[in-house]
Amino acid sequence: MSDPRITSSIFTRGAVDLSTLRGPAPASTRPGTPPQGGPSTGAPGAPTAGGNAAIVDVTEATIQSEVLERSMAMPVVVFFGAAGFPESDEFAPVLERLAAESDGAWVLARVDVQQNPRIAQMFRVQGIPMVYAVVGGQPFDAFSGVVPEAQVRQWLQAVLKAGGVTVAEPEDPRLDEADDALMSGDLDAAERAYRKILADSPADAAAEAGLAQVGVARRVAGADPAAALAAAESAPDDVAAQLLAADIEVLSGLAEQAYARLVGLVRRTAGEDRETVRQHLVSLFTIAGPDDPAVASARRALASALF
């Protein structure tokens, strides 16, 4: 399954209208007012067994306070499921564990679609399990089906950032293993490790950057840097010589110089040669990442060269 962070959202932002769910909350469910008869473990809208306030069961009577109002202070992840449905039963514990680990950074709101069909209708739930993120009283993003935990974690990172929560990027031992292989020169092992990460998390920027570095390391293997740069200097329109020189410059910490070299070559080439140079340049961008100012500048220069 593709990464839920980068696929088209199930809904268009704003298309899910939650306003019809707003209204005066019953006295028994207003913040600060205990439910009639006192709290009961597992009651809708109350913390789950064990007193975990990061997980609540929600009904139509409590959705305003537990989802809409609470989402003004922190992201709320709404899980739509029902007991007895295998995929729902399989996926619910994953979200519950992640919520418990979040240290209050977000709240998991569980909705039983069999008991609360109107809420499911308002969220346009067509199958379970389905998960929505609500931030600032509005739906932010959603996905359906059982998603690998690694992808859910990445999705939650995006949700938390949208909610203004500062999040630390979790360490990934798989990435450490891949990086160690790259640093030791075992390019085959590094490539396998990076590709395995990307198979689970297609938009993992660190793995993409690592895989791009493997490509550069392979291309420059056995090359004499000084001779390669001299050859590129003497043959400015030799595509192969220029690509190798750019790779060497990137590995030498001269990425901006490499970008400028290839943008200039894009301007001077056409057809298949131009596309080869463009793709090579984009692969070098991947190493630095999209937030690098030099990459942003080079992308603008590339766009100008192409169009």
Side-chain angles (χ1 to χ4, degrees):
M1 180 172 176
S2 58
D3 188 339
R5 295 178 308 166
I6 60 174
T7 55
S8 297
S9 177
I10 291 174
F11 58 90
T12 302
R13 184 185 297 273
V16 178
D17 182 9
L18 303 187
S19 63
T20 56
L21 296 178
R22 298 181 186 275
S28 61
T29 61
R30 287 179 191 145
T33 305
Q36 293 179 356
S40 59
T41 301
T48 57
N52 188 351
I55 306 172
V56 295
D57 291 313
V58 174
T59 67
E60 189 173 323
T62 62
I63 190 170
Q64 179 180 340
S65 60
E66 296 293 0
V67 175
L68 302 183
E69 293 177 6
R70 193 187 291 260
S71 73
M72 303 304 292
M74 66 179 65
V76 176
V77 173
V78 187
F79 170 74
F80 291 92
F85 288 77
E87 288 191 341
S88 178
D89 291 341
E90 172 189 350
F91 196 46
V94 175
L95 290 174
E96 290 163 2
R97 177 164 46 79
L98 293 176
E101 292 175 1
S102 73
D103 195 26
W106 58 277
V107 171
L108 174 63
R110 303 182 304 192
V111 177
D112 185 322
V113 298
Q114 293 180 316
Q115 300 296 321
N116 301 278
R118 184 166 179 259
I119 299 178
Q121 182 181 12
M122 290 297 175
F123 278 85
R124 302 182 183 178
V125 174
Q126 297 182 357
I128 56 172
M130 186 167 184
V131 178
Y132 270 87
V134 180
V135 177
Q138 294 295 327
F140 170 72
D141 201 3
F143 64 87
S144 62
V146 175
V147 174
E149 182 175 329
Q151 292 186 22
V152 177
R153 288 182 180 275
Q154 292 179 344
W155 183 79
L156 286 170
Q157 292 281 311
V159 170
L160 290 172
K161 289 178 181 178
V165 179
T166 301
V167 294
E169 296 296 332
E171 294 183 3
D172 188 339
R174 302 173 305 165
L175 193 59
D176 291 339
E177 178 185 349
D179 290 344
D180 288 344
L182 176 61
M183 296 301 293
S184 68
D186 191 343
L187 301 183
D188 289 341
E191 180 177 1
R192 285 194 300 271
Y194 288 128
R195 289 195 183 281
K196 187 175 186 304
I197 295 172
L198 289 170
D200 295 333
S201 307
D204 191 298
E208 289 178 341
L211 191 59
Q213 290 180 69
V214 169
V216 172
R218 283 203 170 115
R219 293 194 296 265
V220 303
D224 181 327
L229 292 173
E233 184 68 23
S234 64
D237 294 326
D238 185 322
V239 172
Q242 296 302 317
L243 297 185
L244 179 58
D247 286 341
I248 290 171
E249 287 170 337
V250 165
L251 290 184
S252 302
L254 302 172
E256 291 186 64
Q257 187 169 310
Y259 302 158
R261 177 188 295 277
L262 296 188
V263 168
L265 190 57
V266 165
R267 295 183 188 278
R268 300 193 301 275
T269 53
E272 291 184 5
D273 282 346
R274 178 185 243 200
E275 179 60 14
T276 296
V277 177
R278 185 196 69 80
Q279 290 182 4
H280 196 101
L281 178 54
V282 170
S283 76
L284 296 183
F285 289 161
T286 302
I287 295 175
D291 296 331
D292 188 298
V295 169
S297 176
R299 283 192 180 277
R300 290 192 294 270
L302 176 60
S304 175
L306 289 170
F307 305 108

